Amino acid sequence: MSLAAAASTTVFEWPVRVYWEDTDAGGIVFYANYLKFMERARTEWLRAQGVEQQALAEREGALFVVTDARLRYLGSARLDDALQVSVEPQLIGRARLSFLQRCRLGEQLLCEGQITVACIDRAQHRPRRIPSDILARLQPQADLTE
């Protein structure tokens, strides 16, 4: 059963190799590192949409921050595994984005998460709207908008 209510039209995938530093004493990926893998994939998804986060911060004074993360762990990855981390936009709103993300080893689903990020003002750390030019690039990537 999926954590998301809606299917996305666009799935972005990013490869992640498991390094020694990603594993715990038991030799498997430490659970919190799946969040790091998902963060990397979302950053690369934004870059693929023409959104560079450093430029967004400097030019627009805007940042994306995680406001909610719900994960289900279904399997374990180990040292040197080559994972695929997917990003499926679920909701593109005026000030927030919601994604279904999955980490897979081949066809095996290891971790699934519903992640929500909000746009905030860099200086005041208060919610703000996503700049309109960026919103226009992102909205075609999801089935749902608010």
Side-chain angles (χ1 to χ4, degrees):
M1 179 173 166
S2 173
L3 292 172
S8 171
T9 57
T10 304
V11 177
F12 176 86
E13 294 205 350
W14 186 253
V16 173
R17 174 74 63 184
V18 175
Y19 297 125
W20 184 259
E21 66 193 29
D22 299 321
T23 62
D24 63 14
I28 61 172
V29 170
F30 183 65
Y31 74 96
N33 286 334
Y34 288 99
L35 285 167
K36 291 180 182 182
F37 300 159
M38 290 176 182
E39 178 76 25
R40 290 178 202 163
R42 281 193 318 280
T43 297
E44 295 303 331
W45 173 80
L46 280 170
R47 186 171 283 128
Q49 310 313 312
V51 179
E52 296 284 339
Q53 292 194 77
Q54 187 64 35
L56 176 66
E58 292 171 0
R59 186 181 67 246
E60 300 283 347
L63 301 171
F64 287 117
V65 297
V66 173
T67 60
D68 188 61
R70 291 179 286 143
L71 276 68
R72 289 182 14 177
Y73 299 96
L74 305 162
S76 300
R78 291 172 173 72
L79 181 65
D80 289 328
D81 282 348
L83 308 179
Q84 285 294 318
V85 183
S86 65
V87 178
E88 298 177 50
Q90 299 294 298
L91 179 100
I92 308 291
R94 292 183 195 107
R96 68 185 172 115
L97 311 170
S98 182
F99 304 93
L100 173 62
Q101 292 196 253
R102 294 183 173 113
C103 297
R104 287 189 167 88
L105 177 59
E107 295 298 315
Q108 182 186 9
L109 179 60
L110 303 177
C111 182
E112 178 177 64
Q114 184 71 41
I115 311 295
T116 301
V117 300
C119 187
I120 65 167
D121 179 85
R122 180 182 187 187
Q124 298 177 358
H125 288 207
R126 295 187 186 267
R128 64 161 285 178
R129 288 184 178 216
I130 298 169
S132 59
D133 63 319
I134 292 170
L135 192 58
R137 280 186 242 160
L138 301 181
Q139 281 184 327
Q141 302 303 313
D143 286 340
L144 299 176
T145 57
E146 62 176 11

